[in-house]
Amino acid sequence: MSPLSSSLLNPRLSFSLKPLFLFSQSSFAPRKFQIPRQFVSAKRKTFSALASEQSSATNNCGRSGGGGRSGAISPSSVVEEVQRIDVNPPKGTRDFPPEDMRLRTWLFNHFREVSRLFGFEEVDYPVLESEALFIRKAGEEIRDQLYCFEDRGNRRVALRPELTPSLARLVIQKGKSLSLPLKWFAIGQCWRYERMTRGRRREHYQWNMDILGLPEVTAEAELISSIVAFFKRIGITESDVGFKVSSRKVLQEVLRCYSVPENLFGKVCIIIDKIEKIPIDEIKRELNATGLSEEAIEELLQVLSIKSLTKLEEILGGAGEAVADLKELFSLAEKFGYSEWIQFDASVVRGLAYYTGIVFEGFDRQGKLRAICGGGRYDRLLSTFGGDDVPACGFGFGDAVIVELLKEKGLLPELNLEVDNIVCALDYDLQGVAAEVATKLREKGQSVDLVLESKPLKWVFKRAARTNAQRLVLVGNTEWQKGMVGVKILSSGEQYEIKLDELE
Amino acid sequence: MSPLSSSLLNPRLSFSLKPLFLFSQSSFAPRKFQIPRQFVSAKRKTFSALASEQSSATNNCGRSGGGGRSGAISPSSVVEEVQRIDVNPPKGTRDFPPEDMRLRTWLFNHFREVSRLFGFEEVDYPVLESEALFIRKAGEEIRDQLYCFEDRGNRRVALRPELTPSLARLVIQKGKSLSLPLKWFAIGQCWRYERMTRGRRREHYQWNMDILGLPEVTAEAELISSIVAFFKRIGITESDVGFKVSSRKVLQEVLRCYSVPENLFGKVCIIIDKIEKIPIDEIKRELNATGLSEEAIEELLQVLSIKSLTKLEEILGGAGEAVADLKELFSLAEKFGYSEWIQFDASVVRGLAYYTGIVFEGFDRQGKLRAICGGGRYDRLLSTFGGDDVPACGFGFGDAVIVELLKEKGLLPELNLEVDNIVCALDYDLQGVAAEVATKLREKGQSVDLVLESKPLKWVFKRAARTNAQRLVLVGNTEWQKGMVGVKILSSGEQYEIKLDELE
């Protein structure tokens, strides 16, 4: 917070208002003076008296002259104590001025259009949820980073760190009224109270697509296909991005051999997910602390290093589900046409406790960026909330890393404001006519930047250039007397007069 | 929170997974049993040993038979203790299942399209802002309802209750780099911790349009014109909705006559705004408590009852800005073509402290609903944050009351999921081919609901009806051997076979 600045130390220049000191007695008073109670009990004039002496108003109630449109309150007469606020958004959050918003809209439109092409329906949930929805016991990073607080009704609430638990909640709520399989997508803001590092913020938007009600790997194949379709639309190729794919069942089958009880499964996955972030000895120590023997840990790490499905099959055998699922996924990838995008990598486990089967993540082949997106199967999430389980899988795709990738590849789109028309009156008296012209054009579906003040033509052309207006429509007296307006096509310079009714 | 339910009391039926008890020893164990540390130190088999005895795997590590695709973990083997969560969204918040989301999207698209027609650029700000941004001293309802808390870094933050302070913050931040006038719009979620009553929630989305840099009333006229354009698009007419318009300068001119210091102006406005909500004696008491004399209060209330601009001019005189502004606005309304929509009503002051000039609100002419939207001029907001003032006006338009109004008028649109194609393989073996067909169609911009499992045709037709699919594309063995697929146009019943490449 910046310190209190006194009114005198803080010169506030009005942009275009000529100050007119309506409150001549108080406008220069110190900002923080105390108003004595009942100080205004002496009435000057009644309104009935006022009305009758209207024309000769020279007392405090009359206009102090000057008149015109400029007479707002002087900026220095602002009443509350002025505390210069921090003009930046809170740490880790973003403003979206027009240029950034255009990029966000462009990105979200692609998310939406791809989801539509795949027949998914859009949903959303509250950004503020009960904290209980996100509290899992597997030691996930996401839990430590929860933006949680107590509301005024003493409820523990949290800004959602992800969308999947809300999806699960809604699906349980809707129960049998839903037709399976569900294909839902959402684009929602998520929050994590992270230590700020380069490129990591505390909020981001996440595109989620989820399929519920399908135990078949076709669901995972379809989801990856939709991400590939998205990448292709925005110019990203298989030489830029790949998907590492594995299955949590690989780990499960290993752990089963060491009789590790299933209730440790989530916890073990969360530890393993940190392999690239913390030293291997620390990983081993944490695994050991859960109860795994050193031999089991060594075997586990050995399996995690496998990058070939054939090799995995040699180790686990062909009868297991892990291998069968993965083989089917790779076979489907070929039919969907994205074989070049995916590769088996046993080290992928993902950082969420609830995954049970196939897991995948999109990665930058240059290795410069963090995971671009990630997802997997979570067949048992609903029962952790007390609901009936439904086979489910989905992915999350953030809005941050993809923008970094587009920058890296020189693929950021050039997005400009573009209006169809700029409409301008040549005299302020014709402002009403310009409004009429603008209304007519807008009713025909044309966008209009209406010039709402008297400005020289030079200014108008400059503005037209900034807004990329296609056409300038000028309302002048001579033309308007004939019911006509002047038109200039700004790309070609072509100029003509036209009846307003004929303007399309 | 619902009480803990034991696994036995809480029957969780799997939707379609045939349970396969991989963890046969532990799957029926009580949910909360303690795992002794190092309990798994005895290793059963090494993986190399495992690999070599793959085919005869009958120990714990082998498949327990059955195989197939059904073998996920039994639902009763979920590891964490199950707490049945509250399946409803937090009090005062909403889920958006597909049917509600379609309505929200429809509404937002109209907001966006109208904003585009008027040449406005979209912006957004963080939903979480510094609390200081919303703390004003005028006694506004909005301040008492702030959703505020301390984050993990001990910063006082709040979920935004409105968008205008964030706009002001961003404009100060951008400073001279902005070209005036700014025409910005935003559609953002806002939060108020309100006592819950019928139809009042704690979050809503708000469409804002703001013009900064224009002292002229043309700005207000343009803003009201955009709301009228919105109403017309969705079928609302001037017999359904009107705008009550006044100016805060009316009050200002009255208060000036009683030498009420300007620093009370905001506070007085806030009290007056409650006139229809609390008893008049309470209003008088509150006004009196600010220091206004009883006579001043009576005069004020008398002026507030004026519903005619002519009458106002008689009382205040024609030279004042209040009357001049209002007359100009009504004159512009005629040119814009929405005279029938607006009426002068001195009682309108709006509940935000920062308005300085014209204020307006859209109201249901039947008087059943709360204000539909509201706005006004706020030329001095920026200086309260320590910035340079810029003339400004804008409005907020919530997503709740308008939906109630559309219901009242029978104007709610019928919005359905609509996919272009449903694609289905007649055998599970042809699933890959169906994927290929779906990918081809999607690349041509056609939306496809791909059937990802083996289902009888009857089911497929039922699903096609639910998704309003235009066309059914069937992949069968006989046709596919000729490189063809079967097509059925679902509206006409027309059926034919076609080469995949010729399918548009």
Side-chain angles (χ1 to χ4, degrees):
Chain A
M1 289 297 108
S2 47
L4 270 174
S5 55
S6 92
S7 61
L8 294 174
L9 290 174
N10 179 29
R12 276 168 281 104
L13 302 167
S14 136
F15 259 75
S16 56
L17 288 176
K18 279 171 266 156
L20 181 70
F21 302 118
L22 294 182
F23 293 95
S24 51
Q25 285 165 355
S26 60
S27 61
F28 291 104
R31 186 120 323 132
K32 292 177 70 180
F33 70 114
Q34 244 349 81
I35 315 300
R37 213 178 157 309
Q38 295 298 344
F39 65 98
V40 283
S41 55
K43 178 187 170 190
R44 292 278 176 103
K45 300 255 179 204
T46 64
F47 264 97
S48 35
L50 241 184
S52 66
E53 50 179 47
Q54 201 62 116
S55 52
S56 62
T58 51
N59 61 35
N60 259 7
C61 291
R63 280 289 136 179
S64 56
R69 292 236 67 276
S70 59
I73 305 265
S74 150
S76 61
S77 66
V78 169
V79 288
E80 294 199 3
E81 60 186 51
V82 175
Q83 191 164 15
R84 187 159 179 102
I85 54 151
D86 185 349
V87 295
N88 297 304
K91 203 170 168 182
T93 71
R94 288 169 293 176
D95 285 316
F96 290 90
E99 59 279 14
D100 296 348
M101 193 67 193
R102 283 195 289 271
L103 182 61
R104 174 174 132 183
T105 302
W106 174 85
L107 195 64
F108 287 13
N109 283 347
H110 281 294
F111 288 157
R112 287 208 168 88
E113 180 58 11
V114 168
S115 305
R116 191 192 68 79
L117 288 173
F118 280 73
F120 281 58
E121 299 183 84
E122 189 166 3
V123 293
D124 197 7
Y125 326 96
V127 72
L128 193 71
E129 284 273 15
S130 290
E131 185 188 51
L133 202 59
F134 306 111
I135 300 289
R136 293 181 295 262
K137 297 187 181 61
E140 294 160 294
E141 195 181 28
I142 207 169
R143 177 180 171 172
D144 301 329
Q145 297 171 341
L146 214 49
Y147 245 110
C148 51
F149 61 100
E150 201 157 84
D151 76 8
R152 292 181 182 213
N154 301 321
R155 288 176 207 85
R156 292 295 308 172
V157 289
L159 294 174
R160 62 185 175 196
E162 52 162 339
L163 302 175
T164 315
S166 301
L167 164 74
R169 180 181 57 62
L170 182 55
V171 169
I172 296 171
Q173 182 205 116
K174 294 275 176 189
K176 298 289 180 197
S177 72
L178 296 171
S179 312
L180 299 182
L182 282 187
K183 297 177 184 175
W184 283 1
F185 80 98
I187 303 170
Q189 198 173 25
C190 297
W191 293 77
R192 294 192 186 188
Y193 197 89
E194 294 188 284
R195 201 163 287 140
M196 298 285 294
T197 56
R198 199 183 60 232
R200 297 214 91 173
R201 286 189 313 265
R202 289 181 178 161
E203 53 78 18
H204 75 294
Y205 282 87
Q206 209 179 79
W207 171 38
N208 276 210
M209 286 177 80
D210 293 89
I211 300 178
L212 273 84
L214 275 177
E216 287 88 353
V217 181
T218 45
E220 285 93 326
E222 174 90 334
L223 290 176
I224 297 174
S225 175
S226 65
I227 307 176
V228 169
F230 169 79
F231 282 135
K232 285 182 173 176
R233 287 174 72 89
I234 62 169
I236 299 285
T237 69
E238 67 270 26
S239 57
D240 302 319
V241 164
F243 291 89
K244 290 177 187 167
V245 180
S246 185
S247 170
R248 286 251 173 123
K249 288 176 188 166
V250 172
L251 286 181
Q252 213 172 59
E253 290 179 21
V254 176
L255 295 178
R256 190 155 44 94
C257 287
Y258 292 88
S259 302
V260 178
E262 38 157 333
N263 62 341
L264 289 183
F265 182 63
K267 194 168 275 181
V268 168
C269 290
I270 296 311
I271 297 168
I272 288 170
D273 181 58
K274 293 185 281 189
I275 276 185
E276 292 188 358
K277 295 176 199 159
I278 60 178
I280 193 69
D281 287 345
E282 174 63 17
I283 296 284
K284 288 179 182 175
R285 206 196 51 71
E286 286 191 29
L287 286 172
N288 196 250
T290 66
L292 260 70
S293 69
E294 280 176 30
E295 273 178 302
I297 293 170
E298 288 305 326
E299 286 286 352
L300 202 58
L301 296 177
Q302 198 188 313
V303 171
L304 287 170
S305 70
I306 300 174
K307 309 263 186 245
S308 136
L309 207 44
T310 319
K311 182 79 194 290
L312 184 76
E313 193 169 353
E314 279 170 33
I315 303 283
L316 293 186
E321 285 193 355
V323 171
D325 285 358
L326 287 162
K327 282 170 84 173
E328 192 177 351
L329 181 62
F330 280 85
S331 155
L332 283 165
E334 207 172 303
K335 296 293 188 175
F336 272 104
Y338 59 80
S339 288
E340 280 72 44
W341 294 73
I342 70 167
Q343 62 195 58
F344 172 71
D345 187 331
S347 72
V348 171
V349 286
R350 304 294 301 155
L352 295 166
Y354 49 68
Y355 289 128
T356 52
I358 297 278
V359 279
F360 56 89
E361 67 183 40
F363 69 101
D364 164 28
R365 290 204 194 264
Q366 289 210 293
K368 290 188 188 171
L369 303 169
R370 293 187 302 139
I372 301 163
C373 58
R377 178 163 288 278
Y378 53 94
D379 285 345
R380 291 183 292 152
L381 179 59
L382 272 63
S383 65
T384 63
F385 294 141
D388 295 343
D389 269 325
V390 180
C393 59
F395 68 81
F397 191 118
D399 70 339
V401 184
I402 184 63
V403 169
E404 293 305 313
L405 183 71
L406 289 168
K407 272 184 206 158
E408 285 277 333
K409 306 291 175 192
L411 288 170
L412 271 186
E414 199 182 315
L415 303 163
N416 294 307
L417 169 64
E418 280 173 20
V419 299
D420 300 323
N421 306 275
I422 182 164
V423 171
C424 182
L426 290 173
D427 297 299
Y428 192 79
D429 286 349
L430 289 170
Q431 191 61 57
V433 179
E436 203 179 320
V437 173
T439 302
K440 281 237 156 59
L441 283 170
R442 286 163 180 163
E443 281 169 355
K444 289 174 180 169
Q446 294 263 328
S447 66
V448 175
D449 180 27
L450 174 60
V451 177
L452 296 160
E453 60 205 308
S454 287
K455 285 287 187 186
L457 264 182
K458 196 179 155 194
W459 182 94
V460 176
F461 277 106
K462 212 169 140 191
R463 181 158 179 104
R466 199 189 74 77
T467 61
N468 299 294
Q470 306 270 304
R471 187 164 66 169
L472 168 64
V473 180
L474 282 176
V475 182
N477 247 320
T478 328
E479 296 81 6
W480 188 242
Q481 276 163 12
K482 298 179 282 174
M484 299 182 95
V485 292
V487 169
K488 180 170 184 144
I489 307 300
L490 291 164
S491 54
S492 64
E494 185 195 351
Q495 258 177 293
Y496 53 90
E497 286 179 16
I498 191 172
K499 290 241 178 246
L500 176 54
D501 291 338
E502 289 162 15
L503 194 62
E504 290 298 319
Chain B
M1 289 299 107
S2 48
L4 270 175
S5 56
S6 91
S7 63
L8 294 173
L9 289 174
N10 179 29
R12 277 168 282 102
L13 303 168
S14 136
F15 260 74
S16 56
L17 290 176
K18 277 172 266 156
L20 182 69
F21 302 118
L22 294 183
F23 292 95
S24 53
Q25 283 165 357
S26 60
S27 63
F28 291 106
R31 186 122 321 132
K32 293 176 69 179
F33 71 114
Q34 227 18 59
I35 315 298
R37 212 177 158 311
Q38 296 298 344
F39 66 99
V40 282
S41 57
K43 180 187 167 188
R44 293 280 176 102
K45 301 256 177 199
T46 63
F47 264 98
S48 35
L50 241 184
S52 66
E53 50 180 46
Q54 201 61 96
S55 51
S56 61
T58 50
N59 61 35
N60 260 7
C61 291
R63 281 288 135 180
S64 56
R69 293 235 66 278
S70 59
I73 304 265
S74 148
S76 61
S77 66
V78 170
V79 289
E80 294 198 5
E81 62 188 49
V82 175
Q83 190 163 16
R84 187 159 179 102
I85 54 151
D86 184 351
V87 295
N88 297 304
K91 203 170 169 183
T93 70
R94 287 170 294 176
D95 284 317
F96 290 89
E99 58 279 14
D100 296 347
M101 193 67 194
R102 284 195 290 271
L103 182 61
R104 174 175 133 184
T105 302
W106 174 87
L107 195 64
F108 287 12
N109 283 347
H110 281 294
F111 289 157
R112 288 207 167 88
E113 180 58 12
V114 168
S115 304
R116 191 192 68 79
L117 287 173
F118 280 73
F120 281 59
E121 298 184 85
E122 189 166 2
V123 293
D124 198 8
Y125 326 96
V127 73
L128 194 71
E129 285 271 16
S130 289
E131 186 188 50
L133 202 58
F134 306 111
I135 300 289
R136 293 181 295 261
K137 298 188 180 59
E140 294 161 295
E141 196 180 26
I142 207 169
R143 178 182 170 169
D144 301 329
Q145 297 171 342
L146 215 51
Y147 244 109
C148 49
F149 62 100
E150 202 156 85
D151 76 7
R152 292 180 183 215
N154 300 323
R155 289 176 206 85
R156 294 294 308 171
V157 289
L159 294 174
R160 62 185 175 195
E162 52 162 338
L163 303 175
T164 315
S166 301
L167 165 73
R169 180 181 56 63
L170 182 55
V171 168
I172 296 171
Q173 183 205 114
K174 293 275 175 189
K176 299 289 181 199
S177 73
L178 296 171
S179 312
L180 299 182
L182 282 187
K183 297 178 185 176
W184 282 1
F185 80 99
I187 302 170
Q189 198 174 25
C190 298
W191 294 77
R192 295 192 187 188
Y193 198 88
E194 295 189 284
R195 201 164 285 140
M196 299 286 293
T197 56
R198 200 183 57 234
R200 297 215 90 172
R201 286 189 313 266
R202 288 181 178 162
E203 53 77 18
H204 74 294
Y205 282 87
Q206 210 178 77
W207 172 39
N208 276 210
M209 287 177 80
D210 293 88
I211 300 179
L212 272 85
L214 275 177
E216 287 89 352
V217 180
T218 44
E220 286 93 325
E222 174 90 333
L223 290 176
I224 298 175
S225 176
S226 66
I227 307 177
V228 169
F230 169 78
F231 281 136
K232 285 182 173 175
R233 286 174 73 87
I234 61 169
I236 299 285
T237 68
E238 68 269 29
S239 57
D240 301 320
V241 163
F243 291 89
K244 291 178 187 167
V245 180
S246 184
S247 170
R248 286 254 172 120
K249 289 176 187 166
V250 171
L251 285 181
Q252 212 173 57
E253 290 177 23
V254 175
L255 295 178
R256 188 153 46 93
C257 288
Y258 292 89
S259 303
V260 178
E262 40 158 332
N263 62 343
L264 288 183
F265 182 64
K267 193 168 273 184
V268 168
C269 289
I270 296 310
I271 297 169
I272 287 169
D273 182 58
K274 294 185 281 189
I275 275 184
E276 292 187 358
K277 294 176 199 160
I278 61 176
I280 193 69
D281 286 345
E282 175 63 15
I283 296 284
K284 287 179 181 174
R285 204 195 53 71
E286 286 192 29
L287 286 173
N288 197 251
T290 66
L292 261 70
S293 69
E294 280 176 29
E295 274 177 301
I297 293 169
E298 287 306 326
E299 286 285 354
L300 202 59
L301 295 177
Q302 199 187 313
V303 170
L304 287 170
S305 69
I306 299 174
K307 308 263 187 246
S308 138
L309 205 45
T310 320
K311 183 77 193 293
L312 185 76
E313 192 169 356
E314 279 170 33
I315 304 282
L316 294 186
E321 283 191 356
V323 171
D325 285 358
L326 287 162
K327 282 170 85 171
E328 192 177 352
L329 180 63
F330 279 85
S331 156
L332 283 165
E334 207 171 302
K335 297 294 188 176
F336 271 104
Y338 59 79
S339 288
E340 279 70 45
W341 294 75
I342 70 166
Q343 62 196 59
F344 171 70
D345 187 331
S347 73
V348 171
V349 286
R350 302 297 299 158
L352 295 166
Y354 49 66
Y355 289 128
T356 52
I358 296 278
V359 280
F360 56 88
E361 68 184 39
F363 69 101
D364 163 29
R365 289 203 194 265
Q366 288 210 294
K368 289 187 186 171
L369 303 169
R370 294 186 302 139
I372 301 164
C373 58
R377 179 164 287 278
Y378 53 95
D379 285 344
R380 291 183 293 153
L381 179 59
L382 271 64
S383 64
T384 64
F385 294 141
D388 296 344
D389 270 324
V390 181
C393 60
F395 69 80
F397 191 118
D399 70 339
V401 184
I402 185 63
V403 168
E404 292 305 311
L405 183 71
L406 289 168
K407 272 184 205 158
E408 284 277 333
K409 306 291 175 191
L411 289 170
L412 271 186
E414 199 181 314
L415 303 164
N416 294 308
L417 169 64
E418 279 173 20
V419 300
D420 300 323
N421 305 276
I422 183 164
V423 172
C424 182
L426 289 173
D427 296 300
Y428 192 81
D429 286 349
L430 290 169
Q431 192 62 55
V433 180
E436 203 180 320
V437 172
T439 302
K440 281 238 156 58
L441 284 169
R442 286 163 180 162
E443 282 169 354
K444 290 174 179 169
Q446 294 263 327
S447 66
V448 175
D449 180 28
L450 174 60
V451 178
L452 297 161
E453 59 206 309
S454 287
K455 286 285 187 186
L457 264 182
K458 196 179 154 193
W459 182 95
V460 176
F461 278 105
K462 213 170 139 190
R463 180 156 179 108
R466 201 189 72 77
T467 60
N468 299 292
Q470 306 269 306
R471 187 164 66 170
L472 167 64
V473 180
L474 282 176
V475 182
N477 247 321
T478 329
E479 296 81 5
W480 188 241
Q481 276 163 11
K482 298 178 282 174
M484 300 183 92
V485 293
V487 169
K488 181 170 184 144
I489 307 299
L490 291 163
S491 54
S492 63
E494 186 195 351
Q495 258 176 290
Y496 53 89
E497 287 179 15
I498 191 172
K499 290 241 178 243
L500 176 54
D501 291 338
E502 290 162 14
L503 193 62
E504 291 297 320

